[in-house]
Structures are given as C-alpha cells and as structure tokens.
Amino acid sequence: MEKPWTKSVTLALEGPGKYVTISNITEASWAMIEDWPLDDAPALNRALDICAAAVEGKRPAEDARKAFVEAAAEAEIHVQE
C-alpha cells in the first residue's frame, strides 16, 4: 500500500459541490488520467510526469501533491482548503 500524503487534497472533481478526496500519488494519477476536464495542458502534463517520478522514488511524494494542486488550478477545479 502506498504511503499517504501528509495532507489530502479535497477537490470538486465531479462538478461544483461534488468533492472527492485524493490522498496519494496513485489516486492523483488516476484522477488526472480518467476524470480530468483537460486532456492536454502544461500543468497537467507536468503533474503526471512528477507523479511518475515520485512512484519511481526520483521525486518526493510532496512534489507530486504540489504539482497535482497546480494542475487542478490550471483546470479551474475548486480545491477545498
């Protein structure tokens, strides 16, 4: 089982007011691949690359979390703080 991020990310991925919580790299990667409203965007592509590097142990998991939040901002997905 994958180690969870130090802080989960709760975002309105399925539409306004419909929040999901993402707590690790695997969940983030699947969300960006399967459920993301954008198909090809700079922050999205960067986040996917960083998630892959983190899974391989080449980047810290928190870098992947930060990139995921940046991709959500690019896609105008509301992130709950």
Side-chain angles (χ1 to χ4, degrees):
M1 187 166 143
E2 188 169 333
K3 181 180 176 186
W5 288 334
T6 55
K7 183 179 178 187
S8 296
V9 178
T10 301
L11 66 167
L13 189 57
E14 298 173 5
K18 297 181 181 179
Y19 290 92
V20 296
T21 300
I22 307 294
S23 59
N24 62 50
I25 297 165
T26 302
E27 291 174 0
S29 296
W30 277 111
M32 290 186 288
I33 292 167
E34 296 290 326
D35 302 321
W36 221 244
L38 303 176
D39 290 327
D40 188 33
L44 171 63
N45 294 335
R46 182 174 180 272
L48 287 167
D49 289 344
I50 291 173
C51 283
V55 167
E56 294 172 0
K58 297 176 182 176
R59 298 284 297 257
E62 292 307 311
D63 285 359
R65 183 190 181 282
K66 181 180 177 195
F68 178 70
V69 170
E70 290 170 357
E74 174 186 62
E76 298 181 354
I77 298 170
H78 182 259
V79 177
Q80 219 175 31
E81 293 296 328

